[in-house]
């Protein structure tokens, strides 16, 4: 589908007229474009409405979150406030533009002199990334007003994800179950992982707060000069969640230098040094408000989120690649296998990783 990008870019209150627009091939969900106006750059995104069925609620959340963080930063660290994400309004003053075909577009400021990484090898960066996600949660503990919308209902409801997995295996719509027997068996054998945090929430033994819920390593930006964390991005799933989900997503994406879709599984394992740096950084950022139950479940958060991600990739593979963007044959299967390997790696080191958390505390 061809979009009229010059027209779309002109709907927003940019400084200067848009001159260049280029696609940026990032993310598994939304479509992202870079808009330049000569003096300034912006990020234009089309929200994936199959995934986010209520984009208006997404943008209502995003406007509240970015506004709150900016306001706090203006007092706490004025120099950094302008390097936080901000929604660029449309010329009509809205947080998004809906085109004639119903697509929902939004624009952010582009954060200059900052980079993201898809994976890490540096303990210093791992520590800084985790500190940033802890900081991000801490910024939102006092968000005023009603709870944020649940932009994807049941996003980390792992028991429900498991039930859906079970149905998809049964239906086997793409006739792929025969090629993934080992992976399917692994999910069934480890199904008990799915219920642990869910049950703690039900018994009110672990607090539901505002979490990022997609705390992948590539959703934090670092300054190109100092390597310090600048801001947290990709805010569509910021909503009620558990603190340890975010730590868990960092364990999943920042403790192993291999890519999420690496085919050589010998490269896929949790590196305890990177893990220790993560634990230190997260405790530095979020430590002041973490409850004992949250502290005790940091490693488990890594296990849960990685296992959930394995289930999600395998579910999508079995369903015929309907959710995640895929760029090659069996892409979701390759992703499934890296996650499975990581789950094994966490299970194999659970005790020693827990000791590293205790040491960091
Ligand atoms: C998706 O688009 P991206 O890469 O930031 C997904 C996450 C997954 C991740 C796996 C809304 O995030 O939940 O963990 O892929 N986002 C959504 O890499 O489903
Ligand atoms: Mg992202």
């Amino acid at each position: 589908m061809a979009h009229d990008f010059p027209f779309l870019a002109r709907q927003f209150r940019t400084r200067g007229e848009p001159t260049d627009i280029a696609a940026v091939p990032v993310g598994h969900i939304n479509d992202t474009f870079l808009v330049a106006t000569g003096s300034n750059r912006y990020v234009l995104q089309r929200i994936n409405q199959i995934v986010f069925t209520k984009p208006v609620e997404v943008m209502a959340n995003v406007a509240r979150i970015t506004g709150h963080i900016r306001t706090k930063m203006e007092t706490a660290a004025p120099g950094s406030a302008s390097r936080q994400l901000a929604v660029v309004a449309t010329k009509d003053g809205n947080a998004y533009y809906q085109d004639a075909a119903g697509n929902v577009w939004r624009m952010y400021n582009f954060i200059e002199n900052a980079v993201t990484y898809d994976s890490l090898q540096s303990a210093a960066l791992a520590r800084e990334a985790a500190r940033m996600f802890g900081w991000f949660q801490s910024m939102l503990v006092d968000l005023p007003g009603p709870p944020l919308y649940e932009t994807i209902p049941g996003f980390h409801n792992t028991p429900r994800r498991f039930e859906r997995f079970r149905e998809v295996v049964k239906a086997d719509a793409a006739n792929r179950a025969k090629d993934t027997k080992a992976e399917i068996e692994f999910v069934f054998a480890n199904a008990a992982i799915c219920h642990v945090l869910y049950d703690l929430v039900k018994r009110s033994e672990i607090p539901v707060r505002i979490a990022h819920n997609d705390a992948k390593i590539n959703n934090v930006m670092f300054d190109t000069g100092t390597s310090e964390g600048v801001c947290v991005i990709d805010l569509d799933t910021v909503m009620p969640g558990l603190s340890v989900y975010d730590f868990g997503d960092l364990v999943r994406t920042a403790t192993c230098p291999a890519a999420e879709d690496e085919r050589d599984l010998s490269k896929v394992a949790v590196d305890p040094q990177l893990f220790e740096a993560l634990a230190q950084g997260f405790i530095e950022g979020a430590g002041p408000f973490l409850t004992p139950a949250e502290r005790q479940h940091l490693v488990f958060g890594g296990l849960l989120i990685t296992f959930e991600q394995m289930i999600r990739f395998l579910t999508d593979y079995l369903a015929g690649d309907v959710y995640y963007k895929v760029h090659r044959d069996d892409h979701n299967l390759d992703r499934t296998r890296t996650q499975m390997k990581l789950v094994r790696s966490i299970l194999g080191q659970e005790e020693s990783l827990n000791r590293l958390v205790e040491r960091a505390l």
Side-chain angles (χ1 to χ4, degrees):
M1 189 188 341
H3 302 292
D4 184 350
F5 288 108
F7 171 83
L8 288 166
R10 279 200 307 275
Q11 301 313 305
F12 295 87
R13 286 184 188 159
T14 55
R15 257 196 233 170
E17 284 292 302
T19 50
D20 280 304
I21 300 164
V24 190
V26 296
H28 294 333
I29 308 290
N30 296 321
D31 298 330
T32 302
F33 306 86
L34 187 60
V35 175
T37 66
S39 50
N40 285 282
R41 297 202 279 177
Y42 300 88
V43 175
L44 177 70
Q45 285 186 311
R46 183 172 76 113
I47 299 181
N48 179 329
Q49 290 186 68
I50 297 171
V51 170
F52 296 103
T53 55
K54 295 181 177 169
V56 176
E57 294 189 355
V58 170
M59 291 315 292
N61 279 0
V62 167
R64 282 176 67 194
I65 295 155
T66 52
H68 185 69
I69 292 179
R70 273 222 172 194
T71 309
K72 284 174 81 168
M73 292 298 278
E74 269 155 20
T75 347
S80 321
S82 65
R83 300 189 82 197
Q84 300 303 312
L85 279 190
V87 176
V88 177
T90 65
K91 288 178 176 161
D92 300 334
N94 292 321
Y96 61 90
Y97 174 76
Q98 187 155 29
D99 68 21
N103 295 300
V104 173
W105 299 84
R106 54 121 181 269
M107 190 180 267
Y108 285 121
N109 52 332
F110 179 84
I111 313 295
E112 298 287 352
N113 305 314
V115 281
T116 59
Y117 300 102
D118 288 330
S119 60
L120 291 185
Q121 292 184 3
S122 140
L125 287 178
R127 183 180 177 138
E128 185 62 2
R131 189 187 65 76
M132 284 301 288
F133 277 106
W135 163 84
F136 182 78
Q137 290 184 355
S138 79
M139 291 305 276
L140 295 171
V141 287
D142 61 351
L143 182 76
L148 292 169
Y149 291 113
E150 213 184 339
T151 56
I152 299 181
F155 193 54
H156 288 307
N157 182 335
T158 324
R160 198 200 282 179
R161 295 227 180 245
F162 177 75
E163 282 316 313
R164 162 104 181 104
F165 168 76
R166 201 206 286 272
E167 287 161 20
V168 166
V169 171
K170 217 166 156 193
D172 195 16
N175 191 27
R176 286 172 166 178
K178 60 180 183 349
D179 310 318
T180 55
K181 281 195 187 131
E183 291 77 14
I184 292 172
E185 258 170 45
F186 184 86
V187 172
F188 281 114
N190 289 283
I193 294 173
C194 294
H195 290 267
V196 176
L197 291 179
Y198 185 81
D199 290 348
L200 285 179
V201 170
K202 261 203 323 217
R203 298 199 301 266
S204 301
E205 286 173 16
I206 198 163
V208 175
R209 2 175 137 259
I210 299 176
H212 185 283
N213 292 305
D214 185 14
K216 285 168 74 164
I217 185 62
N218 65 6
N219 282 334
V220 57
M221 300 198 84
F222 300 92
D223 186 272
T224 29
T226 66
S227 292
E228 274 170 42
V230 174
C231 64
V232 165
I233 59 171
D234 202 350
L235 308 178
D236 300 331
T237 54
V238 179
M239 60 181 160
L242 301 193
S243 178
V244 302
Y245 292 158
D246 289 353
F247 184 72
D249 237 322
L250 284 163
V251 173
R252 184 179 81 77
T253 58
T255 64
C256 164
E260 190 177 67
D261 57 0
E262 174 61 56
R263 283 196 183 104
D264 179 354
L265 293 178
S266 70
K267 293 182 183 159
V268 179
V270 167
D271 174 338
Q273 273 178 315
L274 292 174
F275 176 88
E276 181 168 31
L278 272 190
Q280 289 167 346
F282 196 71
I283 287 162
E284 191 186 328
F289 62 80
L290 292 181
T291 65
E294 289 174 313
R295 288 157 192 241
Q296 279 158 21
H297 288 86
L298 289 169
V299 174
F300 186 82
L303 180 64
L304 175 90
I305 291 292
T306 311
F307 187 54
E308 179 190 283
Q309 193 63 61
M310 176 192 173
I311 295 176
R312 293 177 64 191
F313 284 145
L314 186 52
T315 299
D316 200 35
Y317 183 70
L318 293 171
D321 306 321
V322 292
Y323 186 89
Y324 294 107
K325 291 182 186 175
V326 288
H327 307 290
R328 61 181 192 235
D329 284 352
D330 295 345
H331 208 165
N332 274 317
L333 180 56
D334 294 339
R335 292 166 174 157
T336 301
R337 289 180 170 152
T338 60
Q339 304 306 293
M340 179 164 132
K341 181 82 194 293
L342 283 175
V343 169
R344 286 209 158 108
S345 177
I346 299 170
L347 284 171
Q349 314 179 59
E350 220 176 344
E351 266 179 44
S352 56
L353 297 180
N354 272 313
R355 275 200 298 277
L356 293 176
V357 168
E358 273 160 37
R359 203 156 83 182
L361 286 163

